Structure formats: C-alpha cells, structure tokens
Amino acid sequence: MKNLLCILSLLFFLSCNQSAVSSIGTPTIKAGTAKLTGRIINPDGAHQDSILLTIGVTHPISGEYVKQETLTDRSGKFAIDVDVETDITLISLYTSLRRKPLYVKLTSAGTTNIDITYNSNFEIKNLEVRPAGMSQTDMINSIAIMDEMLEYHGAPTTLYDKSTDVFLAYAKTAVSKRMEILNNSPLLSKEIKGILNKDFRLFQYSGFVFDYEKYMMMNYQNVTQDEFNKPAIKKIDKSYYRFLKDFKLNDPQYLNCYSFLEAQKKILQNEILDLPEIGETDIPSWLAKVKVILADLVGLSDGPYYDILAANAFGRQLNEEIRPLSEKQKENIISYWKKGEIAKILLRKNRQVIELDKFKSPVVVDDISLVPKERVMEAILAKHKGKVVFIDLWATWCGPCLDAMTQFRSTKNEFHDKNVAFMYLTNGSSPRKLWEEKIKGIGSEHYYLTGDQWEYVMSKFEFEYIPSYLIYNKQGIFVNKFTSFPGNDKLKTVIKGLL
C-alpha cells in the first residue's frame, strides 16, 4: 500500500510538473524585435575569453534565414537583439564550446534569458531559461532527433525508370518511416513533435521531390554506379506538384519551420510552375494569376498562405538581388497591406537593403571558357594587378556557400574602397539561369568555369568541398586558402594584413 501511494504521488507530481511547462503556442505575424541575454559557464567555472554564440532566426515573411553572432565577456555574459517577424519565434542556438544546437523560444518585445553550464565533456550540465517558453527536453533534443531522422537511409530503390506516381508513393513512404523515429521518441512533447513533423516533411520534399530530374539523376547514379551516362528521364508537368495539397499550407505553425522558407523559394523559382515575377504588378492582380496555377495543387484558393507567398516574392528581390523596392512597389505594398504587419516587415527589410546596396559593386561576368585549365588562375589574376584578390569557390545549390556570403557581407563592405578584388567561381553544377539570378545579389566579378577548369582548380589546391577560398597578395602570389567559411574576423585579419 505504501509503495502504491508513492507511485501515485510520483505520477501526480509528474503530471503537475508537465502542466506547469509553458507551451510554445501558435505564432502570428508581427514585426518586432526580441532580446536574448544569458551566460555561458565553462566546466569548473573556468573563465575563457571570446566564447562565440551563434543563433539562427527564421524570417518567414521576408523569406530569409538569418544568422547572428555575438561574443561573451570574460564572465560568459552576452546580450543580443534579434529582428523577428512573428510574436513567437523558435531560434537555433549553439556556442563555440559545443556546436550542438538548442531550440530557444523568443517573444516579440520580450527578453529571454538563458544560462548554459557545461560539464568537462562540454555536454550541458545545467540549463536555466527565463521565462520558460518550452521544456528543456524539447530545447535540447529536438534538433538531435531531426539529425537522427536525416541519418536514416533505406535500401537503394530503382526509381529513375518508374512512373512519377511510383516515385511520389515511394517518397511518402520513405518520409513516413523516418517520422517513426520522431513519433516514437519519448523525449519530446506532442507539441514540438507536431512542429518538427511539418518541418521535416517539407524539408524532405523541398530537398528531393521538388526537383524531379535532379533526384532521378542521383537515383540512376546510386543504383547503377554510372556517373557518365544520362538516362531518359520522364518529363513532368504542373500536375506533378499536386503533393503540395497534403501539407495544408495555411497552418500557422509553418511560420516556425525553417523548411517553409526553402519550399517557398522552390515554388517561386520553379520553371515548371512558372509563377510570374511580382515586379511592379499590383498584389491582387499578381495573386489572381498565381491562384490560377497553384490553387488546385495546394488545395487552397485563399488564406494567409497567399499573403505570405506574395511577401516572399518581394523578399526574393530584397534577399537574392539585394535590390531595394521601387517607389511603385512600396505603393503596392502599402495599398494592399495598409499599416499591417507584413507591410511593416517588408519596409523594414527594404531599409536594411538600402544600406547594403550602397556598397554593392556592379556584377561583372567574365568568360574564360576558352582559356586552358592550367592558365585559369593566371587569367583571373591578370586583371587585378596591385590588388589583394579574394576568390570564393561556390555553387547555387550549396547552402553553406550562400550562408557564408550572407555572413561576409558586412566585412566585405568594409573593403569596398580598398585595393581588394572579390572573385566568385562556380561550374555547370549551378544551373545557369539560377546562377545569373543569384549573382545579382552578390555583386563583384564572376566566372562560370568549364568542368575541366573546375576540376583542375579544385585538384591543384587540394580542395574536396565547397565553399573554399583562395587569397592572393598584391603581387599576385598565393598566400592562403580555406575550406569552409573561417569567419569574418579571420578573413578580415588576413586581408588587412596584405593591404
């Protein structure tokens, strides 16, 4: 009897404790800022200068994933202000002591304080969050569970010679199997499972199913081990994208999903769907054209999804091209959204882009396709004698490449009037049309290398991955190289030392 009472008491305590945990809640669109403060505590209370804190923030309305960094002081304390586009925002957070991200809930106009204490193995020993926005198990384990789902691989299946219906059925089953890892996890709450379910499904579809031809090529190479021939891949039409109906995209929880940003970009850029650019078209007219194409595919003829898509269409110009809104576009935004939150967000983003655009150099495309591969670097350097030359090897499909460019913008702008030339090299793995669009926002000088030229450069400098970087001094002598982005401080120090 005594044991039974103990068990009942324990169950009562657990149920009360569970109910005391604040829920994440349902996000709504809101232009604002949030403050994140706290302290990072080393093992045994040791002091260490320059612990780097990195956060990733989803901006679902302007359509951008923003990374911000800050350094702690000697006591481990930090404070950072964050632009947010919803009243509730889930961010990722990690430190240079442990690059294992946490989920943290921020609230617009609020302050969240997080104190992290590490043990000697740099695992989290203690975590204190005020106010309590979500359970600590959700904060610590959500991204780890997502990683576990990504690592799951089923047996290779031949799909490249099958119908699109077979492929879509396969994709649905494959995602469901990975979802079992999430659904069966005892560590996560039902609420966070619901959000991660949406995020992961959309991530899988936007990463693989959206680009049918690319996935079929991958499947052919994986199954046959043939990297030289190309199979006859079936052509798809707009009806292929009917799988979008399953996502119920009016659900506001997508505002907390990183993959929602990527899916929106895929929809807006998709050549088969062929949505019109928004340009200076008034928003109701643009939406009317878009709904003719999308309504049957997404299963929605109205709702907040379309307003977000229209905002994301403006976001493409602001984020991809770093091109401010025209006066006509601003009029269209104010006419349609009045003084609403979406208008506030887009106009705030526009002010930020105006500042960036002041320093953006014009795009220059140089064709050296006829230059022998052994002389590619010589041809590139010849135009910039007497300048430090920074060379970025990248691709349009390379997320870390694009992320690094975004992080590097402010540092690059510091050298806009100095003797530094910025070069960007890619190859045929970047679709030409998408490359031409992406470089508008990068500015500077660009080269689209042939396959032989690219392979020679990668081999010569012993690069296996991108992004990779080369730096030459003002005498045209190679002085340094990096694989993966080394950080703004490192690059700034290297370049300044060569001026």
Side-chain angles (χ1 to χ4, degrees):
M1 185 67 176
K2 185 176 181 181
N3 288 339
L4 178 60
L5 289 173
C6 288
I7 292 171
L8 291 173
S9 297
L10 177 61
L11 290 173
F12 176 76
F13 168 76
L14 289 174
S15 64
C16 291
N17 189 53
Q18 180 66 26
S19 64
V21 175
S22 299
S23 66
I24 297 168
T26 302
T28 58
I29 299 169
K30 183 176 180 62
T33 58
K35 181 179 284 291
L36 181 66
T37 62
R39 186 181 180 200
I40 310 301
I41 304 169
N42 278 333
D44 304 319
H47 294 293
Q48 177 178 323
D49 288 333
S50 303
I51 299 174
L52 183 66
L53 184 86
T54 303
I55 64 171
V57 187
T58 299
H59 284 177
I61 307 307
S62 60
E64 186 177 26
Y65 183 72
V66 178
K67 278 193 174 180
Q68 291 181 237
E69 296 179 339
T70 189
L71 292 170
T72 65
D73 63 17
R74 276 190 59 81
S75 68
K77 291 183 178 180
F78 66 88
I80 186 169
D81 292 318
V82 182
D83 282 345
V84 292
E85 297 184 353
T86 48
D87 61 340
I88 298 166
T89 302
L90 296 184
I91 68 166
S92 64
L93 178 155
Y94 63 85
T95 73
S96 53
L97 297 179
R98 177 73 172 178
R99 297 179 66 86
K100 187 174 181 180
L102 303 171
Y103 261 149
V104 180
K105 175 184 171 181
L106 301 185
T107 55
S108 182
T111 298
T112 299
N113 189 89
I114 179 168
D115 294 339
I116 304 172
T117 303
Y118 291 101
N119 64 21
S120 57
N121 294 320
F122 294 104
E123 297 285 353
I124 294 176
K125 178 181 178 181
N126 191 47
L127 182 67
E128 295 183 13
V129 184
R130 299 181 301 276
M134 53 194 299
S135 74
Q136 291 190 13
T137 54
D138 284 351
M139 292 177 64
I140 294 170
N141 295 298
S142 291
I143 295 178
I145 295 293
M146 291 279 274
D147 288 342
E148 186 179 343
M149 294 162 71
L150 289 171
E151 290 171 2
Y152 171 85
H153 295 287
T157 302
T158 301
L159 295 164
Y160 67 88
D161 58 354
K162 304 293 191 300
S163 70
T164 56
D165 286 342
V166 170
F167 172 55
L168 290 174
Y170 167 83
K172 191 171 185 177
T173 301
V175 170
S176 295
K177 287 182 177 179
R178 295 186 179 199
M179 285 298 180
E180 291 176 5
I181 298 172
L182 173 65
N183 295 334
N184 294 333
S185 172
L187 299 174
L188 302 180
S189 69
K190 182 179 179 180
E191 186 177 22
I192 196 67
K193 284 181 179 180
I195 296 170
L196 297 182
N197 185 300
K198 292 179 175 62
D199 207 350
F200 185 81
R201 287 180 67 236
L202 208 49
F203 172 79
Q204 289 289 288
Y205 273 76
S206 62
F208 300 102
V209 182
F210 268 81
D211 195 337
Y212 176 76
E213 182 175 352
K214 181 179 178 181
Y215 186 84
M216 289 303 108
M217 278 299 303
M218 289 172 52
N219 180 254
Y220 173 79
Q221 292 172 356
N222 289 337
V223 170
T224 66
Q225 301 301 306
D226 179 0
E227 297 185 4
F228 301 100
N229 297 307
K230 183 176 180 179
I233 296 173
K234 294 175 176 59
K235 297 296 182 183
I236 60 173
D237 58 23
K238 290 181 175 65
S239 66
Y240 168 79
Y241 294 94
R242 64 190 181 279
F243 60 79
L244 290 168
K245 191 177 297 185
D246 295 337
F247 287 92
K248 298 179 173 55
L249 292 168
N250 268 335
D251 191 324
Q253 284 295 2
Y254 282 112
L255 295 170
N256 267 328
C257 296
Y258 161 76
S259 298
F260 183 64
L261 305 182
E262 296 305 306
Q264 293 289 77
K265 289 178 185 177
K266 292 288 180 72
I267 290 170
L268 289 166
Q269 296 172 353
N270 189 280
E271 293 183 5
I272 294 169
L273 293 175
D274 195 26
L275 300 187
E277 290 190 16
I278 198 161
E280 294 189 341
T281 306
D282 67 90
I283 297 169
S285 296
W286 184 82
L287 284 174
K289 294 176 184 176
V290 165
K291 289 180 182 182
V292 169
I293 299 169
L294 282 187
D296 287 341
L297 301 178
V298 300
L300 304 168
S301 57
D302 55 23
Y305 172 73
Y306 286 106
D307 271 7
I308 296 169
L309 188 68
N312 292 165
F314 288 113
R316 282 189 67 199
Q317 173 183 320
L318 294 167
N319 298 319
E320 303 286 338
E321 300 181 35
I322 317 299
R323 178 164 59 90
L325 300 169
S326 69
E327 291 302 317
K328 179 62 176 174
Q329 287 177 314
K330 287 189 283 186
E331 289 175 13
N332 290 339
I333 288 169
I334 293 169
S335 173
Y336 184 72
W337 282 299
K338 312 300 181 186
K339 295 181 179 180
E341 298 302 318
I342 290 180
K344 292 177 185 177
I345 290 167
L346 291 176
L347 295 176
R348 177 178 69 180
K349 179 64 181 177
N350 187 59
R351 291 191 292 271
Q352 295 167 354
V353 168
I354 288 171
E355 291 302 309
L356 289 172
D357 191 55
K358 290 178 181 178
F359 303 107
K360 189 181 71 176
S361 57
V363 175
V364 176
V365 176
D366 288 306
D367 183 3
I368 57 171
S369 58
L370 299 179
V371 172
K373 61 184 181 181
E374 298 85 0
R375 297 186 59 191
V376 163
M377 299 310 300
E378 179 184 340
I380 292 172
L381 295 169
K383 293 183 60 179
H384 302 284
K385 292 179 179 178
K387 291 186 176 182
V388 174
V389 176
F390 174 89
I391 298 175
D392 183 335
L393 287 87
W394 72 292
T396 56
W397 48 262
C398 170
C401 300
L402 301 174
D403 181 51
M405 288 180 191
T406 301
Q407 291 184 60
F408 190 55
R409 277 177 190 159
S410 58
T411 298
K412 179 182 174 181
N413 288 345
E414 294 179 26
F415 296 102
H416 77 279
D417 57 351
K418 305 293 191 300
N419 283 327
V420 184
F422 294 93
M423 311 285 109
Y424 295 86
L425 279 57
T426 193
N427 68 346
S429 70
S430 295
R432 185 95 192 191
K433 184 176 179 182
L434 181 58
W435 173 74
E436 289 172 350
E437 180 177 317
K438 290 282 188 186
I439 64 178
K440 293 176 185 176
I442 300 170
S444 303
E445 197 163 330
H446 293 263
Y447 295 84
Y448 197 86
L449 303 186
T450 66
D452 285 345
Q453 289 172 335
W454 178 267
E455 289 178 14
Y456 178 81
V457 172
M458 292 290 286
S459 176
K460 176 179 173 63
F461 293 99
E462 300 179 334
F463 288 145
E464 294 184 15
Y465 311 103
I466 54 174
S468 287
Y469 308 91
L470 299 168
I471 299 178
Y472 288 78
N473 66 17
K474 289 193 283 188
Q475 290 73 45
I477 298 171
F478 167 70
V479 294
N480 216 330
K481 68 176 183 177
F482 303 96
T483 291
S484 77
F485 185 61
N488 285 320
D489 292 340
K490 177 72 173 179
L491 288 179
K492 187 189 299 187
T493 300
V494 172
I495 294 172
K496 278 187 173 181
L498 297 173
L499 289 173

